[in-house]
Amino acid sequence: RCTCQDQIWSCGYWNPCATTMSGDFGAYPGYTGMLNPRGKVIVRFNAEGTFLLKLRVEGLEANCSNCGVHIHSGTTCTDALAVGPHFWNVNTFGSGPADDPWNKFGYYNSTGTGRSKAVLAGDSGLGYKDNLGRTVVLHSAVSCSHSWT
C-alpha cells in the first residue's frame, strides 16, 4: 500500500516526434525523499485524439497499487508551482475535480522492487498538438491529495 508522505515523485518533459511524444523522468521539483524514479514515458496519439501511454520506470515505491500518472498543464519541471494540475479539455468533460478524465485511467502499479511497466489507454479530450511541451507527473497513490488550482 502506498503512503501519502511522498505524494509526487517525478516529472518529465515531452519531446515531440510525429504523433508520438516521449520523456525521461527526473525528480519532481523540491522532492527530497528516498525514492529515485527514473525511466521513460511514451504517448502515441491516434487520429481521434485518444492515446496509449506507455510507462517504464524504476525507483518507485514498492508494491504501489493504483498510483497516478498524468499529463499536467504545466510546461516546466523546474518549479513545483508551474507543473500545474491534470490537463484535460474542460469543454468536453467539465471543469471540476470529479470531471477529471485522468481519474478513470491514469494509474499504474509497481512491483515489490519498485518497478513499473504499464500501458494505459486514455482520452483527455486533447490531442497531440495540445499536449506538446506539457509535463507528465508520477504520483505515489490515488488516496493522497492532489494539488488542484
Side-chain angles (χ1 to χ4, degrees):
R1 182 170 176 353
C2 296
T3 63
C4 291
Q5 64 184 355
D6 299 318
Q7 287 186 12
I8 303 175
W9 297 335
S10 184
C11 187
Y13 294 100
W14 296 120
N15 294 316
C17 177
T19 56
T20 300
M21 294 182 275
S22 65
D24 295 317
F25 284 109
Y28 191 85
Y31 176 72
T32 58
M34 300 283 289
L35 300 172
N36 183 25
R38 57 208 172 277
K40 190 155 197 90
V41 61
I42 298 170
V43 181
R44 290 191 173 98
F45 287 86
N46 66 30
E48 294 81 35
T50 60
F51 58 84
L52 283 178
L53 184 148
K54 295 181 181 184
L55 175 71
R56 184 176 221 144
V57 184
E58 59 185 45
L60 301 168
E61 184 172 348
N63 298 311
C64 191
S65 179
N66 293 321
C67 295
V69 57
H70 315 101
I71 297 173
H72 280 233
S73 64
T75 58
T76 181
C77 286
T78 60
D79 178 358
L81 296 175
V83 171
H86 297 176
F87 190 52
W88 79 88
N89 188 331
V90 298
N91 295 321
T92 301
F93 294 100
S95 60
D99 300 318
D100 182 351
W102 287 97
N103 291 332
K104 296 179 179 111
F105 58 81
Y107 302 103
Y108 68 93
N109 298 322
S110 68
T111 66
T113 58
R115 294 174 186 252
S116 183
K117 185 174 153 182
V119 178
L120 316 170
D123 181 2
S124 65
L126 299 168
Y128 168 75
K129 290 182 181 178
D130 297 313
N131 284 285
L132 281 175
R134 305 294 175 177
T135 54
V136 60
V137 176
L138 296 172
H139 300 270
S140 64
V142 296
S143 61
C144 297
S145 297
H146 294 283
S147 297
W148 288 95
T149 56

